Amino acid sequence: MIRQFELVEKVKAYDPSADEDLLNRAYVFAMKAHGSQRRASGDPYFSHPIEVAGILGDMKLDAATIVTALLHDVIEDTDTSLDEIEAQFGKEIARFVDGVTKLSRIELQSEHTKQAENFRKFLLAMSDDLRVLLVKLADRLHNMRTLSHIPDPERRRRVALETMDIYAPLAERIGVRRMKEELEDLAFAELHPEARDSIKARLAFLRESGDDAIERIIAELKEVLAKAGIPAEITGREKTLYSVWRKMQGRNISFEQLADVMAFRVFVNELDTCYRALGVIHQHYPMVPGRFKDYISTPKPNNYRSLHTGVIGPLKKRVEIQIRTGEMNEVAERGVAAHWTYKQHISSTEGRQYRWLQELLDILEHAAGPEEFLEHTKLEMYNHQVFCFTPKGDLISLPRRATPVDFAYAVHSDIGNTCVGANVNGRIVPLRTELHNGDQVEIITSKGQTPSPLWETFVATGKARSRIRRFIRSQERTQYTDLGRAILEKIFRQEGYEFADKSLLGVLKTFRCAGAEDIQAKVGEGTLTGLEVFAAVFPGHKGGRSGSKIIPFSLRRSQRATGRDGANPVPIRGLIAGMALHYANCCHPIPGDRIVGIMTTGKGVTIHTIDCESLQSFGDTPERWLDVAWDADGSDAANHTARLEVVVANEPGSLGRLSGVIGNNLGNISNLKITLRSPDFFNLVIDVEVSDLKHLSNIVAALRATPQVNSVERARG
Ligand code: MN
């Protein structure tokens, strides 16, 4: 256990201006507060906050953080109040202690649904000041170091899993590399002790048989660089056991094949010397293709900067070499913690550090529920990055497997919403193409374009997914609102009134709605009936002139799952695997129709009916035509949207009759628009979900047999 004066000396050594009195008071306060409490190890409880403070002292954090560490468990585990802390140590420290206490209260590994909500709270609590997270990470690190004292194996396992899943990635995110590695190693030891032991033994064997390879390699590298006039510090080390294990898992290779278990760091004085040193090393040793990475010109999101390369180095051993300056190393080892050593170091780069956190919080605000949020977060947390460039050379960092759609949304939501195609390294590619490091991406946009629900199946970033979902939700809402309005207009007219939005203003409260649109949307959805709304607006109104009842339209909630741009691919023969598929909005083909595919670069294939009028415009580009047919096995259970143009008599009940006939024939109206009103007739465009052409023919026949219906035709472009 670190003694009081040792801790103070440790802090004073790197920050001579630190408030000694404050540190001393916090030390004594915490010791008194925890009194005779004991840890599972039998140590006095007080040893824990002191060790946590010591860890943060090793990372050279400011006095406020060290004090917070000393006090981090007093609220939770003693009867000290937050007011007391504030009175004794001031507002800032009280706020930090409160933050850490909140983090500690959040049970991250509870049942699945709660986990998402809890993680969301967790991020919110730490977003206030990342020092709160640093204290929490140091707390977790000390608890992991002493994990073996916990008797219950199930609990040990849970803590280790949580460390691996949440805390180590968070430590990596804020660039605190040493903490991340130790957390991983300790969790690894608990979760897979045999694997860890065997890797350790194997490494020891290799070390012995290689008789001091590390020392000899360092000496040779040093000499090679010195001859070129580059003075350098070089350190060598084996990779962590956990990173070796993960590599073996990820690439499914044996230990012997895993050549680069040794990593060397070359420290030089100046930035441009990094590149000179790299040049010298590449001249001397054959480079291993694919291993070179320039994180100086393209830093990682946590601000890590370094050159990486792999060479067949001294002793003909394959080694990994990282080249950086001392300053870069400082950031690499300590990450965000480097900012709080001295107050003046809180600099403009802090904004960069926070960007990923801002993005997470942004998603959190717009996600429909905690489930959706967790899904995004996990993706964001565990994916590695690819770096791409805009045509102007701006850098956009994205998770692996990101597509041009992700890129577009990362640049700006408007660009994402209106994107139609992408030009990657000078070639037009489909929007679902996976992007790679160094790709230059130009997004082609078109005004009036809207996101396709299909994109949701391939985007990799939470931001893109949440924007697409948000758009789909608002689009659904527009459809519901239009439909609801049509129903209300009809019913009002039927009862002898003219409908206007303001008619609804008096009954907003009755239906607990914020605006007239909300009521219309509810009617469209079917959660309210038109008659209910009418009765509320005119409470005294007696009996309808028609006496007929409007049958509410049934509108399927999830049109996107089955509709024309649906995620379920429809079995179509003649398509290239993986090609994006759209059904043309002009002719709305359904199974049974004779069809043809038109290829559009960047969009995939659009399916038209063979008699669609818009096919004429492709007459002189026969190379774009694709011979396709519906798959005959009939296993396709999905519904398809067909568009009908209907003329009905403008008389009470005809709209209800129409929807009744369609409903009786198991058709589902997914959209309805009145395109023309005259005193005698309504012209309607109706989208109906049907299973196939035969189904549609039945509905058309039934409609034609209905007296109020004047004519029914398929829309033909
Ligand atoms: Mn603690």
Side-chain angles (χ1 to χ4, degrees):
M1 181 163 92
I2 311 168
R3 281 176 293 175
Q4 189 168 348
F5 75 91
E6 287 171 327
L7 182 68
V8 173
E9 268 175 16
K10 187 183 272 203
V11 177
K12 293 290 259 187
Y14 59 80
D15 183 6
S17 67
D19 186 342
E20 202 171 317
D21 174 57
L22 181 73
L23 288 166
N24 281 322
R25 281 193 291 124
Y27 194 102
V28 174
F29 187 95
M31 186 152 62
K32 279 192 181 150
H34 287 292
S36 60
Q37 289 172 353
R38 299 259 157 201
R39 301 258 298 167
S41 60
D43 289 340
Y45 192 92
F46 176 54
S47 64
H48 165 67
I50 294 189
E51 292 298 334
V52 174
I55 290 170
L56 294 164
D58 290 338
M59 292 168 59
K60 301 186 179 164
L61 278 150
D62 66 348
T65 312
I66 306 290
V67 169
T68 304
L70 289 169
L71 302 174
H72 83 269
D73 274 336
V74 296
I75 302 284
E76 193 68 356
D77 293 338
T78 77
D79 39 11
T80 310
S81 74
L82 199 60
D83 288 343
E84 234 172 299
I85 301 279
E86 189 175 328
Q88 294 258 359
F89 299 99
K91 265 200 165 54
E92 188 189 37
I93 285 171
R95 191 162 54 91
F96 288 175
V97 172
D98 187 38
V100 184
T101 307
K102 279 191 185 130
L103 292 194
S104 304
R105 282 181 185 158
I106 296 167
E107 275 277 321
L108 289 168
Q109 291 282 339
S110 43
E111 78 229 61
H112 186 65
T113 48
K114 262 196 151 172
Q115 193 191 0
E117 179 56 28
N118 284 344
F119 189 64
R120 182 178 127 120
K121 283 186 196 152
F122 188 87
L123 282 176
L124 272 181
M126 77 184 210
S127 64
D128 187 33
D129 193 307
L130 283 185
R131 278 175 286 183
V132 168
L133 177 63
L134 283 167
V135 175
K136 185 67 205 165
L137 287 171
D139 175 42
R140 172 54 59 122
L141 182 55
H142 184 247
N143 286 336
M144 286 301 293
R145 284 179 184 169
T146 53
L147 188 67
S148 59
H149 295 293
I150 292 176
D152 176 5
E154 199 31 58
R155 199 173 141 216
R156 285 203 306 272
R157 197 185 139 70
R158 220 185 57 209
V159 172
L161 267 179
E162 190 183 76
T163 301
M164 203 62 113
D165 285 351
I166 311 261
Y167 290 96
L170 279 174
E172 179 171 30
R173 270 291 168 154
I174 61 174
V176 198
R177 182 194 184 92
R178 262 185 287 181
M179 246 184 191
K180 174 218 162 203
E181 286 181 353
E182 194 182 342
L183 284 170
E184 272 176 358
D185 190 50
L186 291 164
F188 183 38
E190 176 63 36
L191 296 171
H192 304 282
E194 306 82 11
R196 186 174 176 278
D197 286 347
S198 62
I199 290 171
K200 201 173 166 185
R202 188 72 195 145
L203 278 180
F205 173 78
L206 287 181
R207 198 181 307 128
E208 272 163 34
S209 56
D211 44 341
D212 249 3
I214 290 185
E215 288 309 314
R216 287 165 58 196
I217 290 172
I218 288 177
E220 188 179 321
L221 283 175
K222 228 176 193 163
E223 199 189 309
V224 163
L225 287 169
K227 271 190 190 151
I230 301 171
E233 277 288 305
I234 301 178
T235 63
R237 52 162 211 157
E238 284 162 356
K239 297 209 155 168
T240 67
L241 302 176
Y242 177 68
S243 74
V244 171
W245 188 68
R246 225 176 53 174
K247 274 204 172 154
M248 288 171 68
Q249 278 190 316
R251 291 196 242 145
N252 194 20
I253 54 176
S254 73
F255 205 90
E256 274 64 27
Q257 292 169 283
L258 188 70
D260 47 1
V261 286
M262 277 180 289
F264 295 84
R265 294 208 180 127
V266 175
F267 300 107
V268 295
N269 288 328
E270 303 287 334
L271 190 149
D272 57 342
T273 321
C274 294
Y275 289 98
R276 281 207 292 133
L278 176 78
V280 172
I281 289 169
H282 280 184
Q283 275 173 35
H284 260 85
Y285 306 106
M287 173 183 160
V288 179
R291 305 294 304 191
F292 172 63
K293 281 173 196 134
D294 183 350
Y295 291 120
I296 292 179
S297 71
T298 308
K300 289 189 183 181
N302 63 20
N303 242 3
Y304 173 88
R305 292 192 304 158
S306 187
L307 296 177
H308 288 193
T309 190
V311 294
I312 310 296
L315 312 175
K316 296 260 179 293
K317 283 195 184 292
R318 213 178 114 163
V319 294
E320 191 175 287
I321 298 175
Q322 305 176 347
I323 307 167
R324 57 178 79 147
T325 65
E327 194 192 324
M328 292 174 196
N329 191 51
E330 181 82 346
V331 175
E333 291 295 317
R334 298 171 53 217
V336 81
H339 293 285
W340 284 294
T341 308
Y342 308 112
K343 287 220 151 65
Q344 65 266 30
H345 274 212
I346 301 179
S347 62
S348 56
T349 52
E350 197 185 323
R352 281 184 65 108
Q353 303 277 5
Y354 272 110
R355 218 176 85 178
W356 61 272
L357 188 56
Q358 285 310 332
E359 277 167 13
L360 278 187
L361 291 169
D362 183 55
I363 291 167
L364 181 152
E365 245 169 64
H366 298 300
E371 282 298 311
E372 189 180 326
F373 173 65
L374 189 71
E375 184 191 324
H376 299 330
T377 314
K378 281 199 163 155
L379 281 175
E380 301 282 344
M381 299 251 305
Y382 300 122
N383 275 346
H384 294 287
Q385 304 280 305
V386 293
F387 298 97
C388 304
F389 296 92
T390 67
K392 282 183 193 157
D394 290 336
L395 177 76
I396 304 288
S397 81
L398 295 163
R400 201 173 288 281
R401 294 202 315 279
T403 63
V405 175
D406 295 292
F407 184 93
Y409 276 103
V411 173
H412 197 281
S413 302
D414 289 344
I415 298 191
N417 284 336
T418 57
C419 88
V420 289
N423 183 321
V424 174
N425 303 328
R427 288 184 52 202
I428 302 278
V429 302
L431 285 174
R432 65 185 318 143
T433 308
E434 206 171 288
L435 294 176
H436 296 101
N437 265 322
D439 280 350
Q440 178 171 315
V441 186
E442 185 185 352
I443 298 296
I444 303 157
T445 60
S446 163
K447 278 218 169 65
Q449 268 301 320
T450 56
S452 159
L454 202 68
W455 295 352
E456 225 195 302
T457 60
F458 60 74
V459 294
T461 53
K463 182 174 183 187
R465 183 159 306 160
S466 77
R467 296 293 155 126
I468 295 164
R469 285 202 188 155
R470 203 194 312 177
F471 176 81
I472 292 166
R473 276 197 292 271
S474 75
Q475 196 189 35
E476 274 178 357
R477 187 178 151 87
T478 309
Q479 289 177 358
Y480 287 136
T481 309
D482 289 351
L483 184 56
R485 198 186 153 84
I487 294 169
L488 287 170
E489 276 172 358
K490 188 73 207 173
I491 205 163
F492 271 58
R493 181 163 310 162
Q494 200 173 292
E495 301 298 334
Y497 297 89
E498 196 58 40
F499 174 82
D501 282 0
K502 63 174 192 249
S503 328
L504 299 177
L505 295 182
V507 298
L508 291 179
K509 270 203 184 128
T510 318
F511 298 111
R512 277 187 240 140
C513 287
E517 272 200 2
D518 292 341
I519 295 186
Q520 290 170 25
K522 280 192 174 179
V523 173
E525 273 172 19
T527 43
L528 280 176
T529 68
L531 280 175
E532 276 177 87
V533 175
F534 180 81
V537 175
F538 300 103
H541 190 80
K542 284 277 178 295
R545 292 201 307 217
S546 67
S548 73
K549 208 173 167 212
I550 292 275
I551 300 156
F553 292 87
S554 70
L555 191 68
R556 199 185 278 246
R557 258 216 66 77
S558 177
Q559 191 201 341
R560 67 176 178 274
T562 51
R564 61 184 167 282
D565 266 331
N568 299 339
V570 178
I572 285 188
R573 282 182 288 129
L575 283 183
I576 300 155
M579 200 169 236
L581 174 69
H582 309 269
Y583 295 101
N585 277 320
C586 36
C587 51
H588 292 270
I590 56 175
D593 283 330
R594 293 189 54 211
I595 50 175
V596 66
I598 298 292
M599 293 211 294
T600 310
T601 319
K603 267 191 87 174
V605 176
T606 308
I607 307 294
H608 294 264
T609 59
I610 206 104
D611 53 355
C612 175
E613 283 166 18
S614 65
L615 284 177
Q616 280 169 11
S617 55
F618 302 105
D620 49 6
T621 50
E623 71 278 8
R624 295 176 61 185
W625 291 58
L626 206 62
D627 187 20
V628 294
W630 301 98
D631 208 326
D633 76 3
S635 65
D636 171 29
N639 279 335
H640 300 269
T641 304
R643 177 162 290 184
L644 296 177
E645 290 171 351
V646 184
V647 180
V648 296
N650 183 359
E651 64 182 45
S654 61
L655 202 53
R657 188 93 184 89
L658 176 92
S659 68
V661 169
I662 294 176
N664 288 340
N665 285 280
L666 304 178
N668 193 37
I669 298 178
S670 63
N671 203 358
L672 179 147
K673 206 162 87 190
I674 299 173
T675 52
L676 186 75
R677 298 153 205 268
S678 66
D680 304 325
F681 297 106
F682 277 175
N683 287 30
L684 308 171
V685 171
I686 305 174
D687 289 347
V688 191
E689 288 179 10
V690 294
S691 54
D692 56 24
L693 185 61
K694 204 169 154 229
H695 186 189
L696 183 69
S697 304
N698 288 342
I699 290 174
V700 170
L703 284 174
R704 285 186 176 142
T706 307
Q708 289 87 344
V709 173
N710 187 269
S711 72
V712 184
E713 295 298 338
R714 286 280 296 278
R716 285 288 178 222

